[in-house]
Amino acid sequence: MIQIAPSLLSADLFRLQEELEACQRGGADLLHLDVMDGHFVPNLSYGPSFVKAVRAHSSLPLDVHLMLDNPASFIESFAQAGADWISVHLEAGPHPDRLLQQIRAAGCQAGLALNPGTDIEALRWLTPHLDFVLLMSVNPGFGGQAFHKPVLEKIARLIALWKELGVEIPIQVDGGMDANWGPQCTQAGAEILVAGSHLFRQVDLAQAIGALRKACSA
Ligand code: DX5
Ligand code: ZN
């Protein structure tokens, strides 16, 4: 089962209600919200109040991607604001296992995100605390960047690691996603595709979500 997660970073905030309705109509499985602190990544976005506002206007599960130096201080606020899934970066600190447990304790699905240059080996030791893994296919911080092709091999290696360990943890891929790269990601074993600029730049967002799903399910 492929899941499509439109990234609201590319949404038109002045037409957010319409954009949220189109996501729902188009059959999106999750809404992906990118939280940036200006330190971990060289950009700023939004905080819990935005998540709360989206929660009030959409019934889709909210997938909050924390690109923060200090995620521990914010997990609880985002959970209270209505996040259903929360991912933190492996590169953000020395205690990813503690962060993952904190996310679950807050009642959310716990994900660990890896930058393009980060190896998957650490995941071997974290599987008991993981509900999903987010593999970045761009350097985090901005929408509209080109897909980093080596992530395809990373997906395949992670699937091999899961087989070795006897686990099946969903793999999410984020960045530069479109109807060309999406099918290659799902063929390699990814199940959840985050897509921002590819979806939101199309005239019919709902139709674009369906088309991406179709291309990736073939
Ligand atoms: C990048 C974010 C992505 C971004 C993807 O730091 O994590 O979620 O919104 O945007 P596109 O699909 O345009 O690369
Ligand atoms: Zn993201």
Side-chain angles (χ1 to χ4, degrees), residues 32 34 65 67 174 194:
H32 184 85
D34 289 302
H65 175 191
M67 285 161 273
D174 181 12
V194 176

Side-chain angles (χ1 to χ4, degrees), residues 14-25:
F14 286 96
R15 295 174 41 249
L16 190 57
Q17 178 84 48
E18 260 176 70
E19 303 271 56
L20 294 177
E21 283 166 9
C23 287
Q24 198 116 20
R25 206 168 54 246

